[in-house]
Amino acid sequence: VQLQASGGGLVQAGGSLRLSCVASGSILSINTMGWYRQAPGKQRELVATMTSDGTTDYSDSVQGRITISRDNARKTVDLQMDSLKPEDTAVYYCNADIYYDDTGLRLRRLYWGQGTLVTVSS
């Protein structure tokens, strides 16, 4: 099982970016999927999460500017980021709580993607 994130880049303040993350492998089901970020010199923090039934949770700092969505059939989770600010600059990581098959065993693990850099210039 792996998560592959994409979509980061350089954008001016006020601009938009869309991040995407796809899960692949011997996946049986996916519970919560989400995005976290880590700015230079800071701890990793929550951006947004979405459960399999569509319940969302957002950090106060991004509420109203960032929208999380997912496609359960395609095993993807996206992050639409609008009105970006320089303080949104960070490496963004997707994660997913996944039940997977391992030689007939049903196992569960929290997986992380490799991170994608978002830089917002002022």
Side-chain angles (χ1 to χ4, degrees):
V1 175
Q2 63 177 352
L3 298 181
Q4 182 69 43
S6 61
L10 173 64
V11 64
Q12 289 188 332
S16 298
L17 277 177
R18 187 175 183 88
L19 307 183
S20 295
C21 178
V22 58
S24 61
S26 300
I27 296 170
L28 299 174
S29 63
I30 304 177
N31 297 324
T32 300
M33 303 183 81
W35 289 90
Y36 290 71
R37 67 186 182 187
Q38 187 166 16
K42 295 187 177 182
Q43 290 188 334
R44 192 173 297 187
E45 63 175 6
L46 166 74
V47 178
T49 61
M50 179 178 277
T51 64
S52 58
D53 64 0
T55 301
T56 58
D57 183 28
Y58 290 94
S59 165
D60 289 343
S61 63
V62 306
Q63 185 78 41
R65 301 187 296 116
I66 290 179
T67 303
I68 190 170
S69 60
R70 64 185 279 180
D71 184 323
N72 291 332
R74 295 175 57 234
K75 301 182 182 65
T76 60
V77 59
D78 292 348
L79 197 68
Q80 177 65 41
M81 303 189 294
D82 300 315
S83 302
L84 283 164
K85 304 175 181 180
E87 51 263 43
D88 294 317
T89 294
V91 177
Y92 284 69
Y93 299 89
C94 60
N95 79 351
D97 179 14
I98 295 175
Y99 282 97
Y100 63 98
D101 174 77
D102 184 354
T103 61
L105 294 176
R106 184 171 184 261
L107 301 177
R108 180 181 181 181
R109 178 184 162 184
L110 183 65
Y111 285 88
W112 290 88
Q114 83 282 12
T116 184
L117 177 63
V118 171
T119 303
V120 184
S121 63
S122 57

